Amino acid sequence: MRMLAYGGPADALDDTYKMAESTVLETLMEFVTTVIDVYGGEYLRPPNPRELEVILRHNEVRGFPGMIGSIDCMHWEWENCPTGWSGMCKGHKGKPTLILEAVATQDLRIWHAFLGLPGSHNDINVLHRSPVFDDLANGRTPEIEFWVNGNPYTMGYYLADGIYPDWATLVKSVSAPASMKHRVFAAAQEACRKDVERAFGVLQAKFKIIHNPARLWKQRDLNAIMLACVILHNMVIEDERNMYLNPLNAADFEGLEDPPVRTSRDVPEISQFIDAYRCMKNKETSKQLQQDLIDHIWGHYGASTGPFAGR
C-alpha cells in the first residue's frame, strides 16, 4: 500500500520493512493480483439496472437525459519501457506511455477501465479496440428509453471530447459555438464531461505510483497495478458515496447484493451483432441527438435565467 500510495522505489523500503527489493516487488504484484481476483468482479463492472436508473435520473437533472457517464483517455508514462517498444509507445506526449480508457460518473466512480494500448494511439484508435460497447452490441445491457426534445431514443450515451467520432452513443460539444444557444450547450457539456477528468485527477492523487513514471519492465505488471488502483479507488468512492451524491440516496446503489443483469434481448447471430454496431455508429442519429440536446438545454437553461447565463 505504501508503494501504491507514495510511488517510491522498492529499495527505499529496505530499512523500514527489512525486505529485499525483489521481495518488495514480488509482494506488490501478489497484492495487486489478489485485489483484482477477489474484488474485480464487483468493482470493475458496468452499472446494474438499479444503479443505472439512479445515474440516468441524476444526469437528467443535470440537463442530459439518457447520459450514462463521460469517457476519455489518460496516458501513464513508462520510464523503463523496453527500447524495442519505445517507438510504438511514444505519441504526442514525447515519451513512452500506456493509455487508460475510462468511463466515470459525477461521483467519480469508474465504471469501465481499459488499459494497455501503447501511447502512439489516439482516443479513436483506443475506442475501436475497447470493449466499452460490446455488452450493448450483444444485448447484455438494461434497456434504456428516454425522450429529448420530443424525440424518442433507445440507447444511452457518453459525453466525449472533440476527437471522438460522431456515434449515436457519444455526444460531443460544439467546437466553435456561434450562437448563444450553442454556447450554453457547450458550457453544459464541457462541465459535465469533466467528471472523467476529475476521476483521473483523484486517481492519480490517491496513488502516486500511477502519477509518477512507471519503473517496472513488464506491461502485464503495469496493467495489474492500474486495475488494482482503480478497484481501490472505487472502494473509496462507494464508501463515501453519500458525500458525492447528495441529495440522492446512497442506498440506491446496492452493490454486491444486487441481482445480476437480466434482459430479454439476445444477439446470437453475427449479422445482428454487426447491425447493432451500425446503429451505434449512426452519424445521423448522433447529429439529431446533439441538436435535440442543444434545444433541450436551451429550454431549461436559457441565457437569461439558467446557470450558464453570461457565458
Side-chain angles (χ1 to χ4, degrees):
M1 285 301 297
R2 284 184 64 87
M3 287 196 67
L4 294 178
Y6 298 105
D11 56 5
L13 303 176
D14 289 358
D15 295 336
T16 305
Y17 297 103
K18 308 299 182 183
M19 298 168 64
E21 178 183 0
S22 59
T23 306
V24 171
L25 293 176
E26 183 179 350
T27 304
L28 170 67
M29 295 314 304
E30 186 68 25
F31 175 75
V32 297
T33 303
T34 303
V35 168
I36 295 171
D37 291 342
V38 176
Y39 300 105
E42 169 60 17
Y43 293 97
L44 285 177
R45 60 171 177 81
N48 57 38
R50 178 68 172 179
E51 292 166 336
L52 186 59
E53 179 184 352
V54 177
I55 292 171
L56 292 173
R57 186 170 73 244
H58 188 53
N59 287 328
E60 184 174 3
V61 174
R62 302 170 73 191
F64 288 93
M67 186 184 94
I68 303 174
S70 303
I71 186 170
D72 205 355
C73 292
M74 180 188 81
H75 287 256
W76 184 16
E77 183 181 340
W78 192 0
E79 182 177 303
N80 287 339
C81 175
T83 304
W85 295 0
S86 60
M88 176 180 64
C89 294
K90 190 178 298 184
H92 70 280
K93 295 290 184 180
K95 297 180 180 179
T97 60
L98 295 175
I99 300 177
L100 168 69
E101 180 191 72
V103 170
T105 47
Q106 190 185 23
D107 63 347
L108 308 186
R109 171 67 146 88
I110 297 176
W111 295 99
H112 160 78
F114 176 62
L115 176 75
L117 290 183
S120 58
H121 290 68
N122 60 24
D123 294 7
I124 301 176
N125 304 139
V126 176
L127 179 66
H128 283 296
R129 292 160 175 78
S130 168
V132 62
F133 294 126
D134 285 0
D135 284 346
L136 178 60
N138 283 294
R140 294 196 297 261
T141 58
E143 294 185 8
I144 298 176
E145 295 182 0
F146 60 97
W147 291 73
V148 183
N149 198 34
N151 294 319
Y153 295 92
T154 57
M155 288 188 297
Y157 59 87
Y158 302 114
L159 299 186
D161 59 19
I163 192 175
Y164 281 87
D166 295 328
W167 287 7
T169 49
L170 300 171
V171 171
K172 304 189 294 184
S173 179
V174 179
S175 58
S179 65
M180 179 61 72
K181 180 185 291 188
H182 286 172
R183 286 198 290 270
V184 170
F185 170 77
Q189 194 271 358
E190 291 165 8
C192 293
R193 189 183 61 80
K194 292 299 181 183
D195 294 346
V196 66
E197 301 284 358
R198 290 167 50 231
F200 287 149
V202 172
L203 183 67
Q204 291 180 313
K206 286 178 181 174
F207 304 103
K208 293 298 183 183
I209 194 170
I210 58 178
H211 175 76
N212 300 330
R215 300 186 182 93
L216 298 180
W217 295 90
K218 296 181 180 179
Q219 181 179 344
R220 179 182 59 188
D221 295 341
L222 300 182
N223 291 353
I225 289 173
M226 176 64 78
L227 292 180
C229 289
V230 171
I231 290 172
L232 295 172
H233 165 82
N234 287 339
M235 286 181 175
V236 175
I237 294 300
E238 186 169 292
D239 184 61
E240 300 177 353
R241 183 169 263 151
N242 59 329
M243 298 170 56
Y244 295 96
L245 289 185
N246 188 37
L248 293 178
N249 186 358
D252 288 335
F253 293 86
E254 299 175 359
L256 279 171
E257 300 304 321
D258 283 341
V261 174
R262 292 186 177 89
T263 175
S264 59
R265 294 185 297 165
D266 192 15
V267 188
E269 301 293 338
I270 186 64
S271 59
Q272 293 177 296
F273 180 83
I274 294 174
D275 290 341
Y277 259 98
R278 284 177 180 165
C279 292
M280 287 186 286
K281 297 181 180 181
N282 191 303
K283 292 186 177 182
E284 295 181 0
T285 304
S286 173
K287 295 296 184 183
Q288 182 63 46
L289 176 59
Q290 184 189 53
Q291 185 58 50
D292 285 339
L293 286 171
I294 290 173
D295 296 336
H296 172 78
I297 289 177
W298 178 254
H300 284 76
Y301 309 115
S304 59
T305 60
F308 307 101
R311 295 193 180 184

